[in-house]
Amino acid sequence: MSPPVSSPRLSAAHLRELRGRLQLLIRDAGQTDFSPGASHPHAPFWHLEPTPLVMACDEWSRIEAACSQRARLVNAFLRDAYGEQKILRSRILPPEVILGDPYFRRPCCGLEPHRDNPATLLRFDLVRTPDTWMFTDTWTNTPIGMSYAVQNRRFLAQEAADLYGRLPHFQTIVGFPLQILDALHALGPRGSGDASIVVLTSGPQDPFYSEHSFLARKMGLPLAQGDDLLVVDNQLYFKTIAGLERVDVIYRRLNDAHIDPVVFATAREGAGVPGLLQCIRSGSVVVANAIGSGLAENRALNAFLPGLYRFYLGQRALLPTVPTLTCGDTDQLEIILERYADLKIRPIHDARPGKEKGEPLPYLAGPGGLAQEVARNPFAYVAQESLAMVPLDPSAVHSPGYTLSTYVLVRGQEIMVMPGGLVHLGAGMPPRERIGVTADAVVLLGEQPEQPSFDWEDPHAVPPARVLGSRSAEALLWLSRYLERAEATARMILIFDDVALEEVPARERHRWLPVWRGLFEATGHAPDDDTASPATSLPVDQLWRMTLDPRHPSSLLSSIASAAENARKLRDYVSPESWAVLTRLHARLAVLRRPEGDAGTSGARASDVLRKKNALAATQAVTADVNTFLGTAERTMLHDAGWWFMSLGRHLERAIMTCSALRHVLVFLAEENARSEGLAFQRESPELSALLRMLGSQDAYRRVFQSRTLPHLVGRLFLQEPSAPRSLYHNLRQIQASLREISADTPDSDPSAANEIESLLGFLDSLTLDAHFFSGTDSSGSESLDTLLQGLLDRLYALHPLISDHFFSHQARLPAAAGQAELSL
């Protein structure tokens, strides 16, 4: 076996700096928010080492050929196991290996009789021994890790350009997700090459949800959970803002045990799709990888591989597999007990992610027999030789062994092996619920050309336009609402001290308290103590509660956390550049909420000083980064229906906050003017100037009216002025425009929300907002003003349910091709 190709060396200082930058990139990509498991509470979910594994072309060619051969074997075995089961009748394989396997799905027997390749994407784990490469594991149910291999290459090319620039020419892997997309299109049952495809995930609670969303984004496919899909008359539909859209192909990232709760018992409510197997049986939808393909992961098959290669392919294996003995075989058990010191006991299947935390139990064998766990069910365990693994860098001290995960894509008779893969560092097997410590795998170019890519049957075919899923649309709307709320709160806090000192004379500070309360209540922040006056600055406890208290639902920390959680569900939609801004902001606020970490202070007084400092730092961070997020999103996200749902949510939240602030402040001032028999409005009103400042509209007021601050002019600015960004009229027009753009994707849109907005705009146009109306001295006192503003506020709040009823709860029609009547779902 040829020696490994050495990669360029970096100094120790350069390596340390590079590791830090790489981990920041991983953090910004949102890959550090997962629990790594109870037995590894401090282990990173994903760590990238800068030194790559570099393979010469001839060495890779042997691995590539062996992986292609093994992929053909796996698909032949799966096709037979769920079909004629010739392997059992030939007695090459004991029946218990298949029929006793917990991942053998009996309902799938004969499910797809004409399907040649049940496993579309496969992963093979190999280790390098001193003599050869050797297979250790096969993964066919929901193979993980491919996206992390692609991102490893991207991160290293970005941060270690000098290192990669010194390598000879090497093969690229960044386009491999698009090759998967081509293979998925080829699976379409309608055979037109323009199949409607979704990526099925169990949701953000899955440890590898980041991979699901990455692949969905790279392929331009919607990411769906089980309850986003619906079976009607043996057809599968995706719930979108336009109604129900037919689905032809599912790229499954959900364990098949949860795929169809009608057929398979599952405790994960809403994870799967009831009736999916019947759709597959009728031929209306295809799942990749096929349900039941996890059978090929059985480690007991390794003990019978020579016979399987001869039976299915008439060939010998091009690369060996780790020697394996089955604990359920009496003859092999004797060998296991004799050689127990050289062997390790492993289950035939690892526990699935999310089912069991921590590492596997030490299933030991010894002179006295098998361990109790193994003895109870010996057919569920195998014994494998402990392999001597070659370190990644033989010249380095304490360089670990490694496992190479390769990825194979099958489409008909064509097989493509991703040139490289994911390197897992460490002598043990790759972890189950995290990626662990990894490195890049680089394949050097030889004389032969790079592997050709797959093509669709019709390379000129235009795939169907992607319609936004209802769950994504709702998450985008709430994402922007949370960001708008956080930005408005932060901006008001930042200018609060200036407003209190500059706008409100000391002798009239008592008048400032109701205004202050009204403004902050408009953003969900009621004062803790009704008797407290903020004089010239916010009390520290109140400031902390509004900014960094995680128990307060409207604090900056809570609002940004909610926005980040919605964005995490939308990683297939929110651009990586925008996502990085939001994750950095969330991480910054999480650090600022720990004031006790400052060793330079002591005592309650010092704690208050530090809490105030951190709270103000939080407001500055939110003010800057929320606007950075919105600007970045505007330049990097597709301006389709999803973008307009974000715009809709932002302007709806802004309109509600403006109306609420007006109701608190203007009604209070009208009541006070009535009590003073009109004298209050004969002077300059510092409260109104404060209102304009706090809502960021003072310059807008001066340019529109060129007057001192008067209540009726302030009312006209915030209620009727089309050009004022905080006015109800402006924001309703923006909501109207957003709905109009969304309707371009939803021609059968319910007009209820649009009609209500048109009615609100007409109502605002009809108002006569003169000085008398705002004075509080008419026959009804201040009640007419309060009634007006409260009525407007109620109608604004009612807009969200109108939008939700149509776009999110699916009061829509089936596509015309389905020929169905109207459904209320």
Side-chain angles (χ1 to χ4, degrees):
M1 183 175 179
S2 59
V5 180
S6 60
S7 61
R9 303 297 299 273
L10 298 175
S11 67
H14 193 176
L15 281 174
R16 285 194 298 271
E17 178 187 358
L18 186 53
R19 287 189 184 101
R21 295 204 305 268
L22 290 172
Q23 289 310 113
L24 286 177
L25 282 175
I26 291 174
R27 183 204 69 182
D28 290 346
Q31 309 293 347
T32 57
D33 55 345
F34 301 101
S35 171
S39 63
H40 294 279
H42 304 296
F45 175 79
W46 172 23
H47 178 85
L48 175 56
E49 275 294 305
T51 305
L53 168 67
V54 182
M55 290 177 283
C57 180
D58 58 345
E59 181 180 21
W60 173 250
S61 295
R62 290 193 295 273
I63 296 173
E64 182 182 53
C67 289
S68 298
Q69 180 193 44
R70 198 172 179 104
R72 290 194 296 273
L73 172 70
V74 166
N75 275 296
F77 166 71
L78 289 172
R79 187 168 59 248
D80 182 41
Y82 289 103
E84 299 181 22
Q85 297 185 340
K86 295 178 181 178
I87 194 70
L88 298 182
R89 287 195 287 273
S90 67
R91 300 188 179 183
I92 294 174
L93 203 61
E96 60 269 15
V97 175
I98 293 180
L99 304 180
D101 191 311
Y103 292 94
F104 175 61
R105 307 299 181 194
R106 285 175 174 78
C108 296
C109 289
L111 185 65
E112 299 176 281
H114 304 296
R115 185 168 181 177
D116 292 332
N117 297 300
T120 302
L121 180 68
L122 306 92
R123 165 183 155 186
F124 299 120
D125 289 350
L126 302 94
V127 298
R128 196 175 192 273
T129 69
D131 301 318
T132 185
W133 283 94
M134 188 173 289
F135 287 102
T136 59
D137 283 299
T138 297
W139 305 99
T140 50
N141 195 353
T142 55
I144 63 170
M146 189 269 290
S147 74
Y148 303 103
V150 174
Q151 293 179 87
N152 278 355
R153 176 69 58 83
R154 180 167 61 89
F155 290 157
L156 284 167
Q158 177 179 336
E159 293 297 328
D162 53 343
L163 184 149
Y164 275 66
R166 299 203 300 269
L167 286 172
H169 294 300
F170 52 86
Q171 298 193 44
T172 181
I173 62 173
V174 294
F176 199 73
L178 296 179
Q179 305 304 326
I180 299 176
L181 179 62
D182 286 355
L184 295 174
H185 274 287
L187 290 174
R190 290 185 275 186
S192 60
D194 60 351
S196 176
I197 310 169
V198 299
V199 179
L200 180 60
T201 174
S202 60
Q205 73 276 6
D206 191 293
F208 301 105
Y209 180 75
S210 57
E211 173 163 76
H212 309 169
S213 56
F214 176 87
L215 293 175
R217 179 167 56 84
K218 285 298 182 183
M219 294 187 287
L221 299 178
L223 190 61
Q225 298 181 41
D227 51 7
D228 293 326
L229 302 173
L230 177 70
V231 172
V232 179
D233 291 339
N234 291 339
Q235 298 282 352
L236 183 66
Y237 294 94
F238 179 45
K239 300 174 184 177
T240 75
I241 58 172
L244 300 180
E245 179 186 274
R246 180 175 170 179
V247 175
D248 299 313
V249 178
I250 291 177
Y251 176 38
R252 173 174 67 89
R253 300 312 303 260
L254 174 68
N255 183 7
D256 58 14
H258 314 294
I259 198 79
D260 185 344
V262 172
V263 180
F264 304 114
T266 174
R268 294 190 183 179
E269 184 178 355
V273 187
L276 178 61
L277 252 71
Q278 187 57 36
C279 291
I280 297 171
R281 193 176 301 278
S282 69
S284 65
V285 69
V286 178
V287 176
N289 288 351
I291 302 172
S293 56
L295 174 67
E297 298 179 356
N298 189 329
R299 295 189 177 101
L301 294 172
N302 291 343
F304 306 94
L305 278 176
L308 294 177
Y309 273 105
R310 287 193 300 270
F311 182 80
Y312 288 118
L313 304 180
Q315 300 172 356
R316 296 179 61 184
L318 297 178
L319 282 180
T321 299
V322 56
T324 303
L325 301 169
T326 58
C327 296
D329 186 294
T330 305
D331 296 332
Q332 295 186 27
L333 179 59
E334 293 182 5
I335 301 174
I336 294 171
L337 297 178
E338 289 175 1
R339 299 184 52 210
Y340 71 91
D342 302 323
L343 302 173
K344 56 184 177 182
I345 306 296
R346 300 183 70 191
I348 59 172
H349 290 282
D350 286 337
R352 299 295 173 196
K355 180 179 179 182
E356 178 181 318
K357 300 290 185 183
E359 293 299 312
L361 294 172
Y363 305 111
L364 303 176
L370 296 173
Q372 185 177 1
E373 295 85 356
V374 182
R376 280 198 295 264
N377 185 14
F379 292 100
Y381 297 89
V382 297
Q384 294 183 332
E385 286 193 8
S386 298
L387 302 175
M389 302 169 67
V390 173
L392 181 62
D393 185 359
S395 63
V397 180
H398 305 305
S399 181
Y402 62 91
T403 301
L404 172 64
S405 293
T406 60
Y407 299 90
V408 184
L409 186 59
V410 181
R411 194 188 86 167
Q413 298 303 311
E414 299 175 280
I415 297 179
M416 170 178 283
V417 184
M418 187 172 79
L422 186 65
V423 176
H424 303 269
L425 298 180
M429 295 298 104
R432 294 197 310 273
E433 294 205 7
R434 55 193 175 90
I435 297 303
V437 182
T438 66
D440 187 18
V442 176
V443 176
L444 301 182
L445 280 172
E447 295 181 358
Q448 82 278 17
E450 288 194 58
Q451 211 174 50
S453 61
F454 296 151
D455 293 318
W456 297 0
E457 283 82 351
D458 180 6
H460 302 291
V462 179
R466 171 180 171 180
V467 181
L468 183 67
S470 295
R471 185 193 302 272
S472 297
E474 187 170 20
L476 285 163
L477 186 147
W478 277 110
L479 166 65
S480 61
R481 289 195 66 174
Y482 284 124
L483 291 177
E484 179 69 23
R485 186 177 306 170
E487 193 275 339
T489 301
R491 179 169 32 80
M492 287 194 289
I493 291 173
L494 279 176
I495 67 173
F496 179 89
D497 291 351
D498 291 343
V499 169
L501 289 171
E502 296 174 14
E503 304 288 350
V504 184
R507 66 179 180 276
E508 298 182 358
R509 289 278 155 76
H510 66 284
R511 297 168 54 86
W512 172 232
L513 179 59
V515 176
W516 165 74
R517 284 180 178 156
L519 285 168
F520 283 113
E521 284 177 14
T523 55
H525 301 280
D528 292 325
D529 183 359
D530 287 344
T531 63
S533 174
T536 58
S537 63
L538 288 171
V540 172
D541 287 341
Q542 178 69 12
L543 179 62
W544 183 262
R545 183 171 180 266
M546 296 172 66
T547 55
L548 293 170
D549 187 350
R551 297 167 298 180
H552 183 28
S554 292
S555 70
L556 298 184
L557 179 61
S558 296
S559 295
I560 295 300
S562 297
E565 178 60 24
N566 277 279
R568 191 160 79 92
K569 299 174 185 176
L570 295 161
R571 272 187 285 197
D572 59 321
Y573 196 93
V574 175
S575 65
E577 299 86 353
S578 304
W579 167 259
V581 174
L582 194 55
T583 53
R584 283 196 296 266
L585 174 59
H586 190 206
R588 173 65 174 154
L589 297 185
V591 171
L592 289 172
R593 69 169 289 233
R594 299 194 295 268
E596 65 276 8
D598 188 357
T601 60
S602 61
R605 184 182 301 276
S607 176
D608 282 350
V609 170
L610 184 57
R611 287 203 300 163
K612 182 175 181 179
K613 174 184 174 183
N614 285 6
L616 293 177
T619 61
Q620 293 168 348
V622 168
T623 302
D625 287 350
V626 166
N627 287 292
T628 300
F629 172 88
L630 294 173
T632 304
E634 192 272 338
R635 292 189 298 273
T636 58
M637 288 176 60
L638 193 66
H639 285 209
D640 59 359
W643 171 260
W644 294 108
F645 270 107
M646 284 185 63
S647 174
L648 191 157
R650 183 167 69 253
H651 290 289
L652 177 59
E653 185 71 18
R654 189 178 299 171
I656 289 172
M657 286 191 293
T658 296
C659 191
S660 179
L662 287 179
R663 190 179 70 83
H664 282 93
V665 176
L666 292 182
V667 171
F668 162 75
L669 293 177
E671 291 173 345
E672 188 176 67
N673 190 57
R675 286 193 296 268
S676 65
E677 297 181 351
L679 296 177
F681 284 174
Q682 294 180 15
R683 59 172 178 81
E684 175 70 19
S685 175
E687 300 90 340
L688 288 177
S689 295
L691 173 65
L692 291 170
R693 288 278 301 277
M694 297 289 273
L695 293 183
S697 299
Q698 190 173 61
D699 289 343
Y701 178 87
R702 300 293 182 223
R703 292 192 61 184
V704 172
F705 296 111
Q706 301 176 5
S707 165
R708 69 183 181 92
T709 310
L710 298 173
H712 68 287
L713 297 183
V714 170
R716 284 167 56 185
L717 177 77
F718 285 125
L719 292 175
Q720 294 179 313
E721 177 55 48
S723 60
R726 301 290 310 190
S727 77
L728 264 66
Y729 198 92
H730 173 83
N731 284 286
L732 286 169
R733 289 285 295 273
Q734 294 299 313
I735 294 170
Q736 185 182 54
S738 297
L739 282 174
R740 190 178 299 118
E741 294 290 340
I742 293 167
S743 297
D745 288 344
T746 56
D748 295 329
S749 288
D750 184 349
S752 300
N755 290 344
E756 174 62 7
I757 292 171
E758 190 67 36
S759 173
L760 276 167
L761 289 170
F763 177 73
L764 291 174
D765 275 330
S766 68
L767 290 177
T768 302
L769 301 179
D770 55 17
H772 183 68
F773 181 79
F774 286 91
S775 67
T777 58
D778 60 353
S779 58
S780 60
S782 61
E783 291 182 7
S784 57
L785 178 60
D786 189 26
T787 301
L788 166 70
L789 295 175
Q790 184 60 57
L792 285 171
L793 191 58
D794 291 342
R795 293 179 71 177
L796 289 172
Y797 277 120
L799 279 177
H800 192 120
L802 285 177
I803 294 166
S804 177
D805 285 346
H806 178 68
F807 292 112
F808 309 148
S809 59
H810 310 289
Q811 307 296 325
R813 295 180 181 272
L814 281 169
Q820 300 291 331
E822 186 172 344
L823 294 178
S824 295
L825 306 174

